Amino acid sequence: MRMFRIFYPKERAASAYDIPYEALRKKGIRGVIFDIDNTLVPHDAPAQEKTVKLFERLRGLGYATCLLSNNKEERVSAFGRQVSSPYIFKGGKPSVKGYEKAMKLMGTDRESTLFVGDQLFTDVFGANRAGIFSILVAPINPKEEIQIVLKRYPERVVLWFYERDRRKRQ
């Protein structure tokens, strides 16, 4: 459905750990903005070893990174220290301001930035509004706060149309 397209991710991936970052680098992507909770780790969990290694790998590929979360400073700053990445807390997603601030911190622009998140109506919608390439990943943990659980129902409808439209384009 046409009205849902603003919520469509450019791509989908099973996990933030399964994205072909090397291939995206060759296509001109220079910075990656990540949501944290249920994108990189379960809600409120600390960075795992594989998370730290992902950020080290990205730096080794020449990527800049930034965390963009609607969570509080205490949560986001602690996670940012664990993965050695700049961060923005209380990012106001889907407002464009947080995405623009993240690009400024990374020294990237819309064409060279990727956003990775697990929610359509905050993460992907905001990235799309900001003109950033977005990848939607599956939530890590199905146990979520009630306000997120309630958003998952309309997300399923949008994703049904997204998949239908994607199949038509193939």
Side-chain angles (χ1 to χ4, degrees):
M1 214 184 231
R2 196 176 195 154
M3 66 186 205
F4 291 147
R5 287 191 183 139
I6 190 65
F7 301 110
Y8 288 3
K10 298 299 181 261
E11 291 183 15
R12 290 180 79 181
S15 161
Y17 303 95
D18 295 332
I19 294 170
Y21 295 104
E22 292 82 359
L24 291 167
R25 179 86 176 141
K26 289 177 183 170
K27 291 181 178 181
I29 299 296
R30 299 291 179 260
V32 186
I33 305 169
F34 286 100
D35 174 50
I36 300 172
D37 290 315
N38 246 353
T39 296
L40 293 168
V41 294
H43 192 77
D44 281 333
Q48 300 166 342
E49 185 179 338
K50 71 178 183 176
T51 315
V52 173
K53 286 184 177 185
L54 172 64
F55 278 75
E56 289 171 354
R57 180 176 143 224
L58 291 172
R59 280 191 291 277
L61 291 169
Y63 278 106
T65 61
C66 188
L67 303 169
L68 176 58
S69 175
N70 286 346
N71 214 322
K72 297 179 180 114
E73 182 176 13
E74 182 181 357
R75 162 69 175 147
V76 181
S77 65
F79 197 91
R81 282 191 302 275
Q82 289 177 307
V83 297
S84 301
S85 180
Y87 59 86
I88 298 164
F89 62 94
K90 290 187 179 179
K93 294 180 290 183
S95 170
V96 172
K97 290 178 184 175
Y99 298 86
E100 290 174 341
K101 185 175 178 182
M103 287 186 283
K104 188 173 184 179
L105 286 170
M106 295 188 303
T108 61
D109 58 22
R110 286 165 169 71
E111 291 76 34
S112 62
T113 303
L114 164 66
F115 181 85
V116 179
D118 71 297
Q119 293 187 53
L120 285 181
F121 301 130
T122 51
D123 297 332
V124 172
F125 180 46
N128 289 347
R129 291 178 64 216
I132 298 171
F133 190 88
S134 58
I135 297 180
L136 177 71
V137 297
I140 290 175
N141 188 341
K143 187 174 178 170
E144 299 178 296
E145 296 173 347
I146 188 65
Q147 71 270 19
I148 297 171
V149 170
L150 294 174
K151 285 191 264 183
R152 296 292 185 198
Y153 293 105
E155 275 188 1
R156 287 185 198 136
V157 173
V158 173
L159 288 171
W160 184 88
F161 282 103
Y162 166 81
E163 291 298 334
R164 185 195 70 176
D165 291 351
R166 191 179 62 77
R167 283 189 300 274
K168 282 182 183 177
R169 288 190 303 266
Q170 291 178 344

